[in-house]
Amino acid sequence: MAKVHIVNVVVLDNPSPFFNPFQFEITFECVEDLQEDLEWKIIYVGSAESENYDQTLDTVYVGPVPEGKHMFVFQADPPDENKIPVGDAVGVTVVLLTCGYKGQEFVRVGYYVNNSYTDPELQENPPDVPQFDKLQRNILGSQPRVTKFKIDWDDAKDAENIPPSENASEGASTSQNSSDMKPVLSMETSNSACAMEVA
Amino acid sequence: MQLLKPQWISHDGGKAIFSVDLHPDGSRFATGGQGQDSSGRVVVWNLQPVVYEKYEEDEKVPKLLCQLDQHLGCVNTVRWSCSGRYLASAGDDKVIIIWQQSSYGGGAVFGSNVVNVESWRSVATLRGHEGDILDVAWSPGDLWLASASIDNNVIIWNTSKWPEQVRVLRGHTGLVKGVTWDPVGRYLTSQADDKSLRIWRTTDWATEEKIIDPFTECGGTTTVLRPGWSPDGQYLVSAHAMNNGGPTAQIIDRDGWNTDKDFVGHRKPITCVRFNPNILKKADPTTGKSVQYCCVAIGSRDRSISIWFTSLKRPLVVVHDIFDDSVLDLSWSSCGRYLMAVSKDGTLAFINFTSEEIGYPLSEDETNNLHMKLYGKSARTTASSVNPTIIENPELLRLREEERLRAKAANASEQSQRPAPPTPQRAPINKQIETRTADGKRRITPMFIPPTEGVENPNKSYEASFSSSHQEKSKIVVEKVDGVVEPNVSVSRPPTVFSANSSSSPGKAVCLPAEFNGVPAGLPARFSKSCGVNSEKATVAAADVQVTSTAVKRKQEDAQPIVIKRKRGRPPLYDRSSTPAAPTRAPSPAAAPTPALPRPPTATQHHVEPPHLVLPEASLSKSARVQIPGEVSHDVPPPLLVVENDYRIGSRAGVGTPNLHRVSRTQLNVVSWVVYLTSHVTTATATSTTAAFTCHDKTLHILDITTGEMLLPPLQLQGRASQLFVQESTIMVLTTDATLTIWDFKKRKRILSESVRHLVEGRNGGVKCVQLTAEGTPVLLLTSGEAFTRCQELEAWLLLGDVASVRCLVQPEYTMLPLCHPTDNCSRPLASLLHQTAAYCGSSRVSRPIISDDARQNLTEVFINRMLTSAQYLRSAHDYKFWLKRKIQFFIKEGLEKKLRDIFDDLLGPKDTTLTNNQEGLTWKPKIMDYDKKALLEEFLREILLAKNSLQLQRLYSEYKEQLDTTMIDLI
């Protein structure tokens, strides 16, 4: 089982101008003292089309992490606007907050981000060259998408790392034969088919 | 009787629910089953809204109290402890999690719409099973927890000392699918797919009875087989049994374990049996006399539930078609009037009886009195006396107490010696501290949030205030600390990414605000990457990690200008194999005009390598240093034999200059002698008198270490050197064609020349090293952990220890080697040899294949015996004693009394001392490997006392102790 669970993430300073730093207030709970630091990352998806435009805005180590609940604010600089494809500057994209332990990512939180001009005139006629200083960034903080990954924690014995096999399921041949089933629940106080036999 | 199926009780909209259990205080209940994406889920629910309609409609009354998604596989069983304090859950992820309510309030489950009103956190994670766990059961009085798994075992856990295992009950030969305790805690029952039901004694954990007859016709078609034990303890009722071709629930009488009654009527196999926890009483309608009886609910794969009284021959009620799929678990409330059932179809059924229907429960005192009368013990007495076994020998108690005190004293002294553990950094509670690491990244020490006192605020609204965003900026104070810190991370491990497990509730239900319309199609995929993308990313990440780690390393090296520090001595073989081509090409002077030679691609290696090569050639990196053994002084660093391949002479190294390689002896940067060579140096080693190295041109050079003078002209080897070892005047070379040659260069005599091809071929991994033992016996160590020694007389190689394929099957606690210093290789040659292979210690991490327990037990014994024989062969008394002790520990753990007796009898010697002088005395020797057998016996008998399950063996202890004492007196 995972030793660290994100309890909550509050997106701060939102909405804000494009060039304001990102601020996430992260609360997480740890079930056992961790031997090593956690590594948190903020990744800005520059373009939906390709991962090549992903920008890792910042990476921080968080530690030491004893058992219990912890909170910290993770602030990262805005993305380098020069690395964002012109066509993707305005509109919806994604910012990812990931956490890893011992070099293994175990949780990924994704947020939709909308970059739009606040000036109605610019909204109507967006310039060909994006004016990043006039853009406003709005993170959809209420709808995070959380993806968890199974990783090898400290003392995880080999047992935990083998993906669980399919649960022994019942033989297919003996599955229900619904034709003789009554559609409604029936109750009987006594049934000749259900008798306690005393041999 | 009311029957209800609350629609709001579901796991993620209809995922199978495998287990249900009502809390003993009747306030809540837990369900376990599948969660999102093949993960597991435990949910703690409020019982009130199920029982009372007004609470169900009241928005203010929470229904779901806590959802726990920590299990990585389907949760097959949830059980509250008898005290109600803990919840145990277990499932396909092979772990049991023990939960306890924590005083942190609740909170939303991040990334979902679920709000947890209560907070339950895991207090222990129990690992030990090698397969899915299908059932767990708390013993009466919560002394033990039993778990049943498809690894054919039942494990008994010590509830007062997680995660200690009291015992692994081996015996079943099929998947164990259910466990239950008798109400006074004297027996445990397990039912398995091996067509048997076993009753285990809790006094010595031996099998009391194995019941086969009713199960011979059974097939393993049920997910679970949860048997039940009546609250009066008189009857055990099994899950799926067969009688005349029809499925039944077998009634097993506690008196003599008779199986002459059964519950008949279900059309398909019975999955679960649960007794009402109370002994009930009711006035007989005809006679008016009060009748005592027990009540049992039976759930079946035929999707129906039947409820029976032991006083009636017909069921009280049968509910047909209550589910769309197999019933998987049943649970009664402690008041006895509520019954819950869950099914694979993902629904829960609740049945509410009136007291008139079900009867009136006996009070706890009455039940306990009944138990006392029948069995001389009750759940209450079980709880108070931690150790229910009779201790027959007062000495045992005394010794145990002594051991306990000694352990305590040892603990105390250890604690006083050691500085305070580095944990108290529980601080900052009002700020986060930021520091910088060497590579400029920040390291944040987060703000600790202490648990809030007082359980919860009654007026608290259960609204989700989570996953939000705010206009304002962070209020957390960030304290920046100057100075560089080292992040506490190890990047060495390549990241392994397991299957993704998305717990989000993407897209479908939620609609995005208007401004987020027009989400590009590619974006949602970014939230949860597919597994394929994942592994791809993982390898990329692995490469990245390597790059960064070397980069860091380089930085460290810049600080101390000696670049050659990186590799000391001969590099391990696997390093070599990763860049095997480098030495093959590099040394040829014509082909390598520049000193800075780019590494040729490994792909060409196969063409370069002649086909007859068995072993890779040794290689040294650009430079290497070997410490020269000798007297150690603290002031002066030891002298070093330094090898510098592609040595750059001055600045004139230009095109056309042949490559030079040099070997020198250096101490404190003072070079005492230097030898230049035109061929690449592949191995080098030094003793206090001699330096030896091999070159790529198949030469072996032997030099005087102090003067650098050649003791012999270069010796031409018959192949390139793979391994080199020197001890005093003996030199040992293993060439790439797997010929091992030993010379005595002082006497100028060849001692041995033999092909060891048969030892190294066909095994994974190569040769770790060759060496001579103190007695001059050659030893060959393989990276896979095999150690071979050559027997002079037999002129053959013997395998010491055991092969890797056996080792990986044996329980790791028995393959662990004793701690061993490099210095005591004289006293413990076996341990130190096997240590050098470094294969033994790692075996616990390797995933071990599931084999039958009998096989594993046998292999373990064989393994230990091999170790003993190896130790005997090497005449290593220390090793012998170590493995003999381990053998005894193994027999104690497995409870193999007869085998223990065999060993003890031998150690004790013939009982009649007068016989010692006769013919029997000829075979028995009072000593074994320099150890006095009686002293060993004395020591090993103590092992019995220290063992956790020692009480069953206490008679063995007393028996031998007495005999030992008498022989001692005789001797005096």
Side-chain angles (χ1 to χ4, degrees), chain B residues 664-947:
Chain B
S664 60
R665 179 183 185 271
T666 316
Q667 186 166 22
L668 268 176
N669 293 332
V670 179
V671 177
S672 40
W673 53 259
V674 180
V675 177
Y676 286 96
L677 298 153
T678 51
S679 183
H680 215 272
V681 180
T682 53
T683 63
T685 179
T687 68
S688 53
T689 55
T690 321
F693 54 87
T694 59
C695 293
H696 183 67
D697 58 5
K698 304 183 189 171
T699 50
L700 167 68
H701 302 253
I702 306 164
L703 280 73
D704 186 291
I705 195 76
T706 39
T707 60
E709 201 180 311
M710 281 203 149
L711 295 174
L712 282 174
L715 195 150
Q716 198 67 33
L717 300 168
Q718 56 179 313
R720 298 204 166 98
S722 177
Q723 297 286 340
L724 173 70
F725 179 82
V726 183
Q727 187 178 57
E728 286 160 16
S729 66
T730 318
I731 197 153
M732 190 152 133
V733 177
L734 180 66
T735 48
T736 47
D737 58 356
T739 307
L740 184 79
T741 318
I742 307 172
W743 295 279
D744 189 317
F745 58 83
K746 284 224 174 99
K747 292 182 190 150
R748 303 205 176 163
K749 185 171 177 274
R750 190 180 76 180
I751 297 169
L752 176 81
S753 180
E754 192 174 83
S755 171
V756 291
R757 206 186 172 115
H758 60 293
L759 298 181
V760 294
E761 253 179 348
R763 291 183 200 272
N764 313 329
V767 177
K768 178 103 181 170
C769 67
V770 290
Q771 55 178 261
L772 292 168
T773 61
E775 293 84 39
T777 328
V779 172
L780 183 75
L781 298 178
L782 301 186
T783 45
S784 50
E786 279 87 0
F788 296 99
T789 182
R790 191 173 187 281
C791 176
Q792 186 94 46
E793 295 77 30
L794 291 171
E795 297 197 347
W797 291 86
L798 306 176
L799 172 66
L800 296 178
D802 217 330
V803 290
S805 55
V806 170
R807 242 175 15 248
C808 72
L809 293 174
V810 171
Q811 288 121 300
E813 63 258 44
Y814 299 112
T815 58
M816 290 264 293
L817 294 173
L819 283 177
C820 179
H821 263 272
T823 47
D824 40 69
N825 50 5
C826 304
S827 60
R828 297 187 154 178
L830 180 63
S832 69
L833 275 181
L834 296 181
H835 251 290
Q836 286 177 33
T837 68
Y840 278 68
C841 28
S843 59
S844 69
R845 286 208 74 84
V846 182
S847 101
R848 281 172 292 136
I850 293 178
I851 57 164
S852 84
D853 285 304
D854 284 346
R856 180 161 289 164
Q857 194 174 323
N858 287 336
L859 279 174
T860 309
E861 195 183 331
V862 167
F863 170 80
I864 297 175
N865 283 339
R866 283 218 194 182
M867 288 303 196
L868 282 169
T869 329
S870 299
Q872 232 165 351
Y873 173 77
L874 293 173
R875 294 200 193 79
S876 162
H878 277 88
D879 285 317
Y880 188 82
K881 185 180 160 192
F882 174 83
W883 289 105
L884 190 60
K885 193 164 175 177
R886 185 156 285 180
K887 188 169 173 177
I888 284 172
Q889 285 166 343
F890 170 66
F891 287 158
I892 291 173
K893 176 105 190 275
E894 301 290 323
L896 299 169
E897 194 181 322
K898 200 178 158 294
K899 300 207 170 183
L900 279 174
R901 278 177 184 279
D902 290 346
I903 299 181
F904 288 168
D905 282 339
D906 176 59
L907 291 176
L908 188 67
K911 286 188 178 104
D912 193 347
T913 41
T914 54
L915 274 174
T916 323
N917 304 322
N918 300 335
Q919 79 262 40
E920 211 181 316
L922 296 174
T923 50
W924 191 78
K925 300 186 186 73
K927 283 196 174 220
I928 183 162
M929 306 285 299
D930 305 339
Y931 283 105
D932 183 58
K933 283 189 176 177
K934 296 216 165 77
L936 279 182
L937 180 59
E938 175 107 48
E939 190 180 333
F940 293 150
L941 282 175
R942 282 191 91 85
E943 283 299 317
I944 296 190
L945 295 179
L946 296 176

Side-chain angles (χ1 to χ4, degrees), chain B residues 27 35-36 75-76 95 158 230 239 260 267 357 422 439 499 505 536 541 546 558 590-591 646 775 823 850 880 967:
Chain B
S27 59
Q36 222 144 23
V75 176
N76 297 320
V95 298
N158 183 352
S230 69
D260 49 7
R267 284 160 293 164
E357 285 163 344
D439 53 353
S499 62
S505 41
E536 226 176 86
Q546 273 170 359
D558 285 346
D646 300 319
E775 293 84 39
T823 47
I850 293 178
Y880 188 82
T967 54

Side-chain angles (χ1 to χ4, degrees), chain B residues 119-184:
Chain B
S119 166
W120 289 78
R121 63 186 194 90
S122 74
V123 288
T125 308
L126 312 180
R127 297 181 177 94
H129 280 297
E130 283 162 20
D132 308 2
I133 302 167
L134 293 177
D135 203 11
V136 296
W138 298 83
S139 76
D142 291 339
L143 266 182
W144 301 297
L145 179 74
S147 58
S149 162
I150 64 162
D151 66 4
N152 300 0
N153 293 338
V154 174
I155 298 184
I156 311 295
W157 308 85
N158 183 352
T159 56
S160 55
K161 221 164 124 193
W162 305 118
E164 188 184 282
Q165 297 180 11
V166 176
R167 192 67 189 258
V168 181
L169 305 184
R170 302 175 203 275
H172 278 296
T173 54
L175 324 179
V176 190
K177 291 185 167 176
V179 277
T180 186
W181 300 84
D182 90 315
V184 292

Side-chain angles (χ1 to χ4, degrees), chain A residues 103-193:
Chain A
Q104 314 158 86
E105 180 181 323
F106 66 88
V107 68
R108 159 174 288 220
V109 182
Y111 289 99
Y112 281 120
V113 180
N114 186 28
N115 293 312
S116 59
Y117 292 108
T118 43
D119 186 344
E121 202 157 299
L122 284 171
Q123 275 177 15
E124 289 291 310
N125 308 302
D128 291 339
V129 178
Q131 297 185 5
F132 285 96
D133 54 341
K134 301 235 168 67
L135 278 177
Q136 190 200 47
R137 176 182 67 219
N138 189 3
I139 301 171
L140 190 55
S142 56
Q143 286 179 23
R145 303 296 205 272
V146 185
T147 314
K148 294 176 188 167
F149 306 97
K150 294 177 188 179
I151 65 158
D152 186 8
W153 294 87
D154 292 329
D155 55 352
K157 290 269 158 61
D158 43 86
E160 208 182 4
N161 301 340
I162 304 160
S165 58
E166 280 304 302
N167 194 56
S169 55
E170 300 182 12
S173 60
T174 50
S175 64
Q176 270 76 45
N177 176 6
S178 56
S179 61
D180 63 347
M181 291 297 163
K182 289 160 213 155
V184 288
L185 300 178
S186 68
M187 263 184 267
E188 294 144 277
T189 48
S190 176
N191 183 324
S192 60

Side-chain angles (χ1 to χ4, degrees), chain A residues 14-74:
Chain A
N14 186 46
S16 69
F18 184 84
F19 286 116
N20 268 23
F22 282 86
Q23 274 197 344
F24 293 98
E25 196 177 76
I26 300 161
T27 312
F28 63 95
E29 189 169 5
C30 175
V31 295
E32 264 173 60
D33 291 5
L34 293 187
Q35 290 169 8
E36 292 188 10
D37 286 1
L38 295 169
E39 193 176 359
W40 293 84
K41 274 185 195 166
I42 296 177
I43 299 166
Y44 188 84
V45 175
S47 166
E49 308 308 324
S50 164
E51 287 192 17
N52 298 335
Y53 295 104
D54 285 7
Q55 294 186 37
T56 300
L57 302 184
D58 201 359
T59 304
V60 293
Y61 295 111
V62 171
V65 183
E67 181 189 333
K69 231 182 212 179
H70 308 275
M71 192 179 199
F72 72 101
V73 62
F74 187 2

Side-chain angles (χ1 to χ4, degrees), chain B residues 613-625:
Chain B
L613 283 195
V614 180
L615 295 166
E617 191 192 356
S619 75
L620 286 178
S621 51
K622 197 167 178 307
S623 53
R625 37 175 64 186

Side-chain angles (χ1 to χ4, degrees), chain A residues 1 5-15 20 23 25 27-29 31 33 35-37 39 45 48 51 54 58-64 66-75 92-94 96 102-105 108-114 138 140-152 155-156 158-162 164-165 167-170 174-176 181-182 185-199, chain B residues 1 3 18 70 72 76 92 94 97 104 108 110-111 121-122 125 127 129 132 221 223 260 262-265 268 301 303 308 312-322 324-326 344 423 426 432 437 441-449 466-474 476 478 487-490 493 495-496 498-504 506-507 510-513 515-516 519-520 523-524 526-529 533-534 537 844-847:
Chain A
M1 58 174 269
H5 313 280
I6 296 182
V7 175
N8 192 26
V9 176
V10 183
V11 183
L12 297 170
D13 189 18
N14 186 46
N20 268 23
Q23 274 197 344
E25 196 177 76
T27 312
F28 63 95
E29 189 169 5
V31 295
D33 291 5
Q35 290 169 8
E36 292 188 10
D37 286 1
E39 193 176 359
V45 175
E51 287 192 17
D54 285 7
D58 201 359
T59 304
V60 293
Y61 295 111
V62 171
E67 181 189 333
K69 231 182 212 179
H70 308 275
M71 192 179 199
F72 72 101
V73 62
F74 187 2
Q75 178 168 328
V92 180
T93 184
V94 162
L96 299 166
K102 291 190 171 176
Q104 314 158 86
E105 180 181 323
R108 159 174 288 220
V109 182
Y111 289 99
Y112 281 120
V113 180
N114 186 28
N138 189 3
L140 190 55
S142 56
Q143 286 179 23
R145 303 296 205 272
V146 185
T147 314
K148 294 176 188 167
F149 306 97
K150 294 177 188 179
I151 65 158
D152 186 8
D155 55 352
D158 43 86
E160 208 182 4
N161 301 340
I162 304 160
S165 58
N167 194 56
S169 55
E170 300 182 12
T174 50
S175 64
Q176 270 76 45
M181 291 297 163
K182 289 160 213 155
L185 300 178
S186 68
M187 263 184 267
E188 294 144 277
T189 48
S190 176
N191 183 324
S192 60
C194 294
M196 181 169 164
E197 281 184 1
V198 183
Chain B
M1 174 181 151
L3 194 147
F18 276 70
Q70 273 89 324
L72 297 177
N76 297 320
D92 289 359
K94 306 176 182 73
I97 302 181
Y104 284 125
F110 181 67
R121 63 186 194 90
S122 74
T125 308
R127 297 181 177 94
H129 280 297
D132 308 2
T221 57
T223 312
D260 49 7
D262 49 16
F263 292 114
V264 184
K268 282 184 179 166
R301 258 195 43 221
R303 309 178 290 118
W308 308 69
L312 297 175
K313 291 191 175 179
R314 306 238 159 215
L316 174 76
V317 60
V318 177
V319 190
H320 280 299
D321 300 331
I322 186 168
D324 293 333
D325 206 332
S326 170
K344 216 173 198 169
T423 37
R426 202 155 277 257
Q432 73 186 48
T437 63
K441 286 182 185 169
R442 280 180 294 162
R443 184 185 192 227
I444 296 173
T445 301
M447 190 166 102
F448 183 72
I449 308 169
F466 282 77
S467 312
S468 58
S469 73
H470 288 292
Q471 188 75 58
E472 70 259 31
K473 300 193 177 174
S474 171
I476 298 180
V478 178
N488 178 21
V489 289
S490 64
R493 188 199 299 214
T496 28
F498 300 99
S499 62
N501 163 16
S502 160
S503 71
S504 62
V510 283
C511 52
L512 299 173
E515 65 202 87
F516 286 90
V519 171
L523 276 184
R526 304 304 306 280
F527 294 129
S528 49
K529 318 172 281 181
V533 174
N534 249 328
K537 266 230 155 165
S844 69
R845 286 208 74 84
V846 182
S847 101

